[in-house]
């Protein structure tokens, strides 16, 4: 009975925060970037909460069930991406206003912006769906709620409070949700470590950094298709756009990277323990983490991890949904500072939220949905955006050709690696980045004068 009360209370609080935050929405800037008033702890908390969604928590544990300690690379690669982003964060904060496609448009022209505004939301529907899938599996495991009902219920709640509260409510809730996530995983790992005196190394023969289920090529593909999305990513950039200064943006990225490194091993430890404790678990129908929580943790630990898992799902879903909706609204509204941009964005939130719910009803694999979506995005935009931030400029035609070719090849490679030959698929994904770069950097290049001038002023 207590867990049902806790669930209702948690969802009511999320809705209440959204309603309360909606009263503070005075301008489009308040809704889209929280008025650019985000402090270091707000931006860092929101960034971590966004990253540590169902893919990071449930997905990593499931990977650890199969890959052992090598599953740590999922979160370690995210930390690596942040380390690369640290010196670039000031440029993101300086040049960016509302969205990543706006940056791409500033670098390469309106056609490149339009292409980004199409590809990113399509890919991000998969990211939102992955969070809904995670929420439904949590509901099913803890409360016995049917998967379909869990998808619809969780989807409607986060769509509602995102719809009315925008970035103001997201920044406020995310820092507390990040604290729930980090605390829940840390305390659970400590409890298990001291109450089950079996060496973590002996729990599985599949060690770190590589084993028979994860090799060097797999790591290379992970760094290219996943780690790079933390160097160039719509959700990450949307957090930096909310920062009150360039220094806050840079420090928040650095702090996030530091926190993610130990977290990678903590969450993997839970998955390794799950494979040791429940070696015949059918984790495909749920998460390997859930039986550990229900059967191993004390009652207070179950409540804490319920809060952590719900926080992980909700905090990622709202950010990804809002980011995709703002990106689509920009060209439709002919600018995000127009009078109709706020209404259009809210209507798009409803539409994208509905599509994500439908996708979650059809596809139930978190990691599968996540990695396909990220492959499409990373193949298209990692190289051009990173180059643009560093001052590189080229023609609009070449930039759009590079993005289109990269996204198509990355998608083909990821699908082939999942349903055909994994090695061939991985090499196709790697070729997507090479082809993107070859097209982008071919011919004449020019340095961005604005970039040089502003650097000289620093």
């Amino acid at each position: 009975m207590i867990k049902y009360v806790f669930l209702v209370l948690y969802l009511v609080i999320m809705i209440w925060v959204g309603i309360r935050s909606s009263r503070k929405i005075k301008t489009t800037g308040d809704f889209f970037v929280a008025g650019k008033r985000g402090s270091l702890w707000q931006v860092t908390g929101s960034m971590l909460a966004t990253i540590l969604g169902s893919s990071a928590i449930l997905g990593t544990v499931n990977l650890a069930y199969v890959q052992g300690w090598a599953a740590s690379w999922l979160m370690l690669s995210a930390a690596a991406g942040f380390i690369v982003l640290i010196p670039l964060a000031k440029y993101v904060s300086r040049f960016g206003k509302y969205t990543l496609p706006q940056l791409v448009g500033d670098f390469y022209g309106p056609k490149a912006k339009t292409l980004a505004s199409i590809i990113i939301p399509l890919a991000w529907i998969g990211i939102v769906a992955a969070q809904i899938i995670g929420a439904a599996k949590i509901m099913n495991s803890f409360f016995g709620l049917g998967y379909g009902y869990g998808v619809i219920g969780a989807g409607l709640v986060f769509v509602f409070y995102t719809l009315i509260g925008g970035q103001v409510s997201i920044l406020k809730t995310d820092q507390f949700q990040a604290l729930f996530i980090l605390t829940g995983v840390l305390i659970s790992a400590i409890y298990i470590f001291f109450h089950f005196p079996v060496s973590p190394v002996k729990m599985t023969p599949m060690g770190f950094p590589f084993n028979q289920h994860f090799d060097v090529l797999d790591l290379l593909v992970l760094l290219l298709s996943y780690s790079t999305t933390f160097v160039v990513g719509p959700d990450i950039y949307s957090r930096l756009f909310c920062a009150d200064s360039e220094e806050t943006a840079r420090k928040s990225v650095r702090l996030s990277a530091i926190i993610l490194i130990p977290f990678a091993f903590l969450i993997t430890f839970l998955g390794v323990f799950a494979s040791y404790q429940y070696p015949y678990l059918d984790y495909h129908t749920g998460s390997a983490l859930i039986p550990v929580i229900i059967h191993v943790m004390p009652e207070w630990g179950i409540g804490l991890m319920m809060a952590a898992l719900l926080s992980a799902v909700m905090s990622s879903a709202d950010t990804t949904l809002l980011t995709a909706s703002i990106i689509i609204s920009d060209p439709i509204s002919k600018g995000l500072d127009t009078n109709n941009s706020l209404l259009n964005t809210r209507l798009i939130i409803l539409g994208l939220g509905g599509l994500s719910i439908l996708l979650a009803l059809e596809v139930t694999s978190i990691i599968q949905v996540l990695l396909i979506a990220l492959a499409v995005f990373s193949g298209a935009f990692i190289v051009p955006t990173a180059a643009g931030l560093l001052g590189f400029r080229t023609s609009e035609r070449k930039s759009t050709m590079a993005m289109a070719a990269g996204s198509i090849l990355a998608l083909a490679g990821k699908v082939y690696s999942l349903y055909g030959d994994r090695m061939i698929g991985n090499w196709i994904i790697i070729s997507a980045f090479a082809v993107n770069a070859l097209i982008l950097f071919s011919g004449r290049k020019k340095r961005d004068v604005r970039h040089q001038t502003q650097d000289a002023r620093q």
Side-chain angles (χ1 to χ4, degrees):
M1 182 63 183
I2 294 177
K3 62 184 181 182
Y4 292 100
V5 173
F6 176 84
L7 174 64
V8 172
L9 182 63
Y10 182 89
L11 297 178
V12 168
I13 289 174
M14 293 298 101
I15 295 173
W16 177 78
V17 169
I19 294 173
R20 184 177 176 84
S21 299
S22 68
R23 299 171 184 171
K24 298 183 179 181
I25 304 297
K26 306 298 182 183
T27 66
T28 55
D30 291 334
F31 189 86
F32 296 139
V33 289
K36 281 192 172 293
R37 294 186 294 269
S39 66
L40 172 63
W41 293 109
Q42 285 180 323
V43 175
T44 302
S46 185
M47 196 174 299
L48 286 171
T50 299
I51 297 164
L52 302 177
S54 61
S55 58
I57 307 295
L58 304 181
T60 300
V61 170
N62 283 0
L63 281 178
Y65 196 90
V66 177
Q67 298 177 354
W69 286 100
S72 303
W73 279 116
L74 188 67
M75 286 295 97
L76 289 176
S77 64
F82 274 143
I83 291 171
V84 176
L85 178 60
I86 291 172
L88 299 176
K90 64 179 181 180
Y91 300 129
V92 177
S93 178
R94 183 185 308 169
F95 296 143
K97 187 175 182 182
Y98 293 137
T99 69
L100 176 58
Q102 285 182 335
L103 272 180
V104 173
D106 288 343
F107 297 155
Y108 303 114
K111 290 183 179 178
K113 177 183 177 181
T114 300
L115 182 63
S117 298
I118 294 172
I119 293 178
I120 293 175
L122 287 175
W124 253 233
I125 291 175
I127 308 297
V128 178
Q131 309 314 315
I132 300 175
I133 291 169
K137 290 185 176 182
I138 293 169
M139 303 285 192
N140 177 261
S141 299
F142 281 111
F143 309 105
L145 188 66
Y147 178 79
Y149 291 110
V151 165
I152 295 171
L156 291 178
V157 169
F158 85 80
V159 167
F160 175 77
Y161 75 75
T162 303
L163 179 74
I164 63 175
Q167 293 286 17
V168 175
S169 67
I170 289 174
L171 279 186
K172 285 187 175 182
T173 57
D174 274 4
Q175 62 183 130
F176 294 104
Q177 290 172 327
L179 185 61
F180 271 126
I181 297 166
L182 296 172
T183 303
V185 171
L186 175 61
I187 291 179
S188 296
I190 292 174
Y191 180 87
I192 290 171
F193 183 82
F194 285 104
H195 283 76
F196 292 84
V198 178
S199 169
V201 177
K202 293 181 179 179
M203 287 180 183
T204 175
M206 294 177 289
F208 180 87
F210 305 109
N211 55 57
Q212 65 269 34
H213 296 288
F214 189 88
D215 56 27
V216 176
L217 182 60
D218 291 320
L219 176 59
L220 179 59
V221 171
L222 188 65
L223 290 172
L224 286 173
S225 63
Y226 186 68
S227 181
T228 52
T229 62
F230 295 90
V231 183
V232 178
D235 295 330
I236 303 302
Y237 283 18
S238 71
R239 306 302 90 210
L240 299 182
F241 294 155
C242 295
D244 56 19
S245 68
E246 293 180 15
E247 186 66 10
T248 295
R250 186 181 65 82
K251 287 182 177 179
S252 66
V253 173
R254 183 177 61 190
L255 184 57
S256 297
I258 292 171
I259 293 172
L260 281 176
I261 293 172
F263 181 87
F265 292 101
L266 287 173
I267 192 63
T268 302
F269 169 74
L270 296 181
V272 169
F273 176 79
S275 67
Y276 167 79
Q277 190 75 4
Y278 304 100
Y280 304 108
L281 181 69
D282 183 13
Y283 65 91
H284 293 95
T285 60
S287 171
L289 179 59
I290 303 299
V292 173
I293 297 172
I294 294 176
H295 300 299
V296 173
M297 296 297 293
E299 188 173 354
W300 59 264
I302 294 175
L304 181 60
M305 281 305 294
M306 282 173 54
L309 292 176
L310 286 172
S311 295
V313 171
M314 293 296 187
S315 60
S316 295
D318 54 21
T319 302
T320 49
L321 177 61
L322 182 59
T323 299
S325 300
I326 293 173
I327 289 173
I328 295 176
S329 178
D330 187 10
I332 292 176
S333 305
K334 297 182 179 179
L336 292 173
D337 292 317
T338 57
N339 293 331
N340 62 342
S341 62
L342 192 55
L343 175 61
N344 288 342
T345 302
R346 283 175 163 154
L347 291 174
I348 293 167
I349 287 173
L350 284 175
L352 287 185
L355 287 175
S356 300
I357 290 172
L358 291 176
L359 179 59
L361 289 171
E362 295 298 324
V363 182
T364 61
S365 173
I366 297 173
I367 288 294
Q368 180 178 325
V369 172
L370 176 79
L371 293 182
I372 289 176
L374 291 181
V376 173
F377 166 78
S378 60
F381 300 109
I382 298 301
V383 175
T385 307
L389 287 170
L390 294 174
F392 176 85
R393 298 294 181 269
T394 189
S395 70
E396 191 173 58
R397 181 179 62 86
K398 282 197 295 184
S399 63
T400 52
M401 285 177 58
M403 294 175 192
S407 65
I408 293 170
L409 279 174
L411 174 61
K414 178 53 66 176
V415 172
Y416 198 81
S417 68
L418 290 172
Y419 302 106
D421 186 283
R422 188 179 66 163
M423 181 172 290
I424 294 176
N426 285 343
W427 280 113
I428 295 174
I429 294 172
I430 293 171
S431 73
F433 292 86
V435 170
N436 191 321
L438 283 173
I439 296 173
L440 189 71
F441 298 129
S442 63
R444 292 185 59 188
K445 313 169 189 64
K446 57 182 180 180
R447 181 79 177 171
D448 181 22
V449 176
R450 180 185 66 170
H451 194 286
Q452 289 179 314
T453 303
Q454 292 194 354
D455 268 354
R457 293 173 181 171
Q458 301 302 310

Coordinates of all heavy atoms in Angstrom, one line a residue, residues 390-432:
L390 N 34.5 25.6 -33.6 CA 35.9 25.9 -33.6 C 36.2 26.9 -34.7 O 37.4 27.3 -34.9 CB 36.7 24.6 -33.8 CG 36.7 23.6 -32.6 CD1 37.4 22.4 -33.0 CD2 37.3 24.3 -31.4
G391 N 35.2 27.4 -35.4 CA 35.4 28.5 -36.4 C 35.4 28.1 -37.8 O 35.6 28.9 -38.7
F392 N 35.2 26.8 -38.1 CA 35.3 26.3 -39.5 C 34.0 26.7 -40.2 O 32.9 26.6 -39.7 CB 35.4 24.8 -39.6 CG 35.4 24.2 -41.0 CD1 36.5 24.2 -41.8 CD2 34.2 23.7 -41.5 CE1 36.4 23.7 -43.1 CE2 34.1 23.2 -42.7 CZ 35.2 23.2 -43.5
R393 N 34.1 27.1 -41.5 CA 32.9 27.4 -42.3 C 33.1 26.9 -43.7 O 34.2 26.8 -44.2 CB 32.7 29.0 -42.4 CG 32.4 29.6 -41.0 CD 31.1 29.2 -40.4 NE 30.8 29.8 -39.2 CZ 31.2 29.4 -38.0 NH1 31.9 28.2 -37.9 NH2 30.9 30.1 -36.9
T394 N 32.0 26.5 -44.3 CA 32.0 26.0 -45.7 C 30.7 26.3 -46.3 O 29.8 26.9 -45.7 CB 32.3 24.5 -45.7 OG1 32.5 24.1 -47.1 CG2 31.2 23.7 -45.2
S395 N 30.5 25.9 -47.6 CA 29.3 26.2 -48.3 C 28.1 25.5 -47.7 O 28.2 24.4 -47.1 CB 29.4 25.9 -49.8 OG 29.4 24.5 -50.0
E396 N 26.9 26.1 -47.9 CA 25.7 25.5 -47.4 C 25.4 24.1 -48.1 O 25.0 23.2 -47.5 CB 24.5 26.4 -47.7 CG 23.2 26.1 -47.1 CD 22.2 27.2 -47.3 OE1 21.9 27.5 -48.4 OE2 21.7 27.7 -46.3
R397 N 25.8 24.0 -49.4 CA 25.5 22.8 -50.2 C 26.4 21.7 -49.6 O 25.9 20.6 -49.4 CB 25.9 23.0 -51.6 CG 25.6 21.8 -52.5 CD 26.0 22.1 -54.0 NE 27.4 22.4 -54.1 CZ 28.4 21.5 -54.3 NH1 28.1 20.3 -54.3 NH2 29.6 21.9 -54.4
K398 N 27.6 21.9 -49.3 CA 28.5 20.9 -48.8 C 28.1 20.4 -47.4 O 28.2 19.3 -47.0 CB 30.0 21.3 -48.8 CG 30.6 21.2 -50.2 CD 32.1 21.3 -50.1 CE 32.6 22.6 -49.6 NZ 34.1 22.7 -49.6
S399 N 27.7 21.4 -46.6 CA 27.4 21.1 -45.2 C 26.1 20.2 -45.2 O 26.0 19.2 -44.4 CB 27.2 22.3 -44.4 OG 26.1 23.1 -44.9
T400 N 25.1 20.5 -46.0 CA 23.9 19.7 -46.0 C 24.1 18.4 -46.6 O 23.6 17.3 -46.1 CB 22.8 20.4 -46.8 OG1 23.2 20.8 -48.1 CG2 22.3 21.7 -46.0
M401 N 25.0 18.3 -47.6 CA 25.3 17.0 -48.2 C 26.0 16.1 -47.1 O 25.8 14.9 -47.0 CB 26.2 17.1 -49.4 CG 25.5 17.6 -50.7 SD 26.6 17.9 -52.0 CE 27.3 16.2 -52.2
A402 N 26.9 16.7 -46.4 CA 27.7 16.0 -45.4 C 26.7 15.4 -44.3 O 26.8 14.3 -43.9 CB 28.7 16.9 -44.7
M403 N 25.8 16.3 -43.8 CA 24.9 15.9 -42.8 C 23.9 14.8 -43.3 O 23.7 13.8 -42.6 CB 24.0 17.1 -42.3 CG 24.8 18.1 -41.6 SD 23.8 19.6 -41.2 CE 25.1 20.8 -40.8
A404 N 23.4 14.9 -44.5 CA 22.5 13.9 -45.0 C 23.2 12.6 -45.2 O 22.7 11.5 -44.8 CB 21.9 14.4 -46.3
A405 N 24.4 12.6 -45.8 CA 25.1 11.3 -46.0 C 25.5 10.7 -44.7 O 25.4 9.4 -44.6 CB 26.4 11.6 -46.8
G406 N 25.9 11.5 -43.7 CA 26.3 10.9 -42.4 C 25.2 10.2 -41.7 O 25.3 9.1 -41.2
S407 N 24.0 10.9 -41.8 CA 22.8 10.3 -41.1 C 22.3 9.0 -41.7 O 22.0 8.1 -41.0 CB 21.7 11.3 -41.0 OG 21.2 11.6 -42.3
I408 N 22.3 9.0 -43.0 CA 21.8 7.8 -43.8 C 22.8 6.6 -43.5 O 22.3 5.5 -43.2 CB 21.7 8.1 -45.3 CG1 20.6 9.1 -45.5 CG2 21.4 6.8 -46.0 CD1 20.5 9.6 -46.9
L409 N 24.1 6.9 -43.6 CA 25.0 5.8 -43.4 C 25.0 5.3 -42.0 O 25.1 4.1 -41.7 CB 26.5 6.3 -43.8 CG 26.8 6.3 -45.2 CD1 28.2 6.9 -45.4 CD2 26.8 4.8 -45.8
A410 N 24.9 6.2 -41.0 CA 24.9 5.8 -39.6 C 23.6 4.9 -39.3 O 23.7 3.9 -38.6 CB 25.0 7.0 -38.7
L411 N 22.5 5.4 -39.8 CA 21.3 4.6 -39.6 C 21.4 3.2 -40.2 O 21.0 2.2 -39.6 CB 20.1 5.4 -40.2 CG 18.7 4.6 -40.2 CD1 18.3 4.3 -38.8 CD2 17.7 5.4 -40.9
A412 N 21.9 3.1 -41.5 CA 22.0 1.8 -42.1 C 23.0 0.9 -41.3 O 22.7 -0.3 -41.2 CB 22.6 2.0 -43.5
G413 N 24.1 1.5 -40.8 CA 25.0 0.7 -40.1 C 24.5 0.2 -38.8 O 24.7 -1.0 -38.4
K414 N 23.7 1.0 -38.1 CA 23.1 0.6 -36.8 C 22.1 -0.5 -37.0 O 22.0 -1.5 -36.3 CB 22.5 1.8 -36.1 CG 21.9 1.5 -34.7 CD 22.8 0.7 -33.8 CE 24.0 1.5 -33.3 NZ 24.8 0.7 -32.3
V415 N 21.2 -0.3 -38.0 CA 20.2 -1.3 -38.3 C 20.9 -2.6 -38.7 O 20.5 -3.7 -38.2 CB 19.2 -0.8 -39.4 CG1 18.3 -1.9 -39.8 CG2 18.4 0.4 -38.9
Y416 N 21.9 -2.6 -39.5 CA 22.6 -3.8 -40.0 C 23.3 -4.5 -38.8 O 23.4 -5.7 -38.7 CB 23.6 -3.4 -41.1 CG 24.0 -4.6 -41.9 CD1 23.2 -5.1 -42.9 CD2 25.2 -5.3 -41.6 CE1 23.6 -6.2 -43.6 CE2 25.6 -6.4 -42.3 CZ 24.8 -6.9 -43.4 OH 25.2 -8.0 -44.1
S417 N 23.9 -3.7 -37.9 CA 24.6 -4.3 -36.7 C 23.6 -5.0 -35.8 O 23.9 -6.0 -35.1 CB 25.3 -3.2 -36.0 OG 24.5 -2.3 -35.3
L418 N 22.3 -4.5 -35.8 CA 21.3 -5.1 -34.9 C 20.7 -6.3 -35.5 O 20.4 -7.3 -34.8 CB 20.2 -4.1 -34.5 CG 20.7 -2.9 -33.6 CD1 19.5 -1.9 -33.5 CD2 21.0 -3.5 -32.2
Y419 N 20.5 -6.3 -36.8 CA 19.7 -7.4 -37.5 C 20.5 -8.2 -38.5 O 20.0 -9.1 -39.1 CB 18.5 -6.8 -38.2 CG 17.6 -6.0 -37.2 CD1 17.5 -4.6 -37.2 CD2 16.8 -6.7 -36.3 CE1 16.7 -4.0 -36.4 CE2 16.0 -6.0 -35.4 CZ 15.9 -4.7 -35.5 OH 15.1 -4.0 -34.6
G420 N 21.8 -7.8 -38.7 CA 22.7 -8.5 -39.6 C 24.0 -8.9 -39.0 O 24.0 -9.5 -37.9
D421 N 25.1 -8.5 -39.6 CA 26.4 -8.8 -39.1 C 26.9 -7.6 -38.3 O 27.0 -6.4 -38.8 CB 27.4 -9.0 -40.2 CG 28.7 -9.5 -39.7 OD1 29.5 -8.6 -39.3 OD2 29.0 -10.7 -39.8
R422 N 27.2 -7.8 -37.0 CA 27.5 -6.7 -36.1 C 28.8 -6.0 -36.5 O 28.9 -4.7 -36.5 CB 27.7 -7.2 -34.7 CG 27.9 -6.1 -33.6 CD 28.0 -6.6 -32.2 NE 29.3 -7.3 -32.1 CZ 29.8 -7.6 -30.9 NH1 29.2 -7.3 -29.8 NH2 30.9 -8.3 -30.8
M423 N 29.8 -6.7 -36.9 CA 31.1 -6.1 -37.3 C 30.9 -5.2 -38.6 O 31.4 -4.1 -38.6 CB 32.1 -7.2 -37.6 CG 33.5 -6.6 -37.9 SD 34.8 -7.8 -38.0 CE 35.0 -8.2 -36.2
I424 N 30.2 -5.8 -39.6 CA 30.0 -5.0 -40.8 C 29.2 -3.7 -40.5 O 29.5 -2.6 -41.0 CB 29.3 -5.8 -41.9 CG1 30.2 -7.0 -42.3 CG2 28.9 -5.0 -43.1 CD1 29.5 -7.9 -43.3
G425 N 28.2 -3.9 -39.7 CA 27.4 -2.7 -39.3 C 28.2 -1.7 -38.6 O 28.0 -0.4 -38.8
N426 N 29.1 -2.1 -37.7 CA 30.0 -1.1 -37.0 C 30.9 -0.4 -37.9 O 31.1 0.8 -37.8 CB 30.8 -1.9 -35.9 CG 30.0 -2.3 -34.7 OD1 28.9 -1.7 -34.5 ND2 30.5 -3.2 -33.9
W427 N 31.4 -1.1 -38.9 CA 32.3 -0.4 -39.9 C 31.5 0.6 -40.7 O 32.0 1.7 -41.1 CB 33.0 -1.4 -40.8 CG 34.2 -2.0 -40.1 CD1 34.3 -3.3 -39.7 CD2 35.4 -1.4 -39.7 NE1 35.6 -3.5 -39.1 CE2 36.2 -2.3 -39.1 CE3 35.8 0.0 -39.8 CZ2 37.5 -2.0 -38.5 CZ3 37.1 0.3 -39.3 CH2 37.9 -0.7 -38.7
I428 N 30.2 0.3 -41.0 CA 29.4 1.2 -41.8 C 29.2 2.5 -41.0 O 29.2 3.6 -41.5 CB 28.1 0.6 -42.2 CG1 28.3 -0.5 -43.2 CG2 27.1 1.7 -42.8 CD1 27.0 -1.3 -43.5
I429 N 28.9 2.3 -39.7 CA 28.8 3.5 -38.8 C 30.0 4.4 -38.7 O 30.0 5.6 -38.8 CB 28.4 3.0 -37.3 CG1 27.0 2.4 -37.3 CG2 28.4 4.2 -36.4 CD1 26.7 1.7 -36.0
I430 N 31.2 3.7 -38.6 CA 32.4 4.5 -38.6 C 32.6 5.2 -39.9 O 33.1 6.4 -40.0 CB 33.6 3.5 -38.4 CG1 33.6 2.9 -37.0 CG2 35.0 4.2 -38.6 CD1 34.5 1.8 -36.7
S431 N 32.2 4.6 -41.0 CA 32.4 5.2 -42.4 C 31.5 6.5 -42.5 O 31.8 7.4 -43.2 CB 32.0 4.2 -43.5 OG 30.6 4.0 -43.5
A432 N 30.4 6.5 -41.7 CA 29.5 7.6 -41.8 C 30.2 8.9 -41.3 O 30.0 10.0 -41.9 CB 28.3 7.4 -40.9

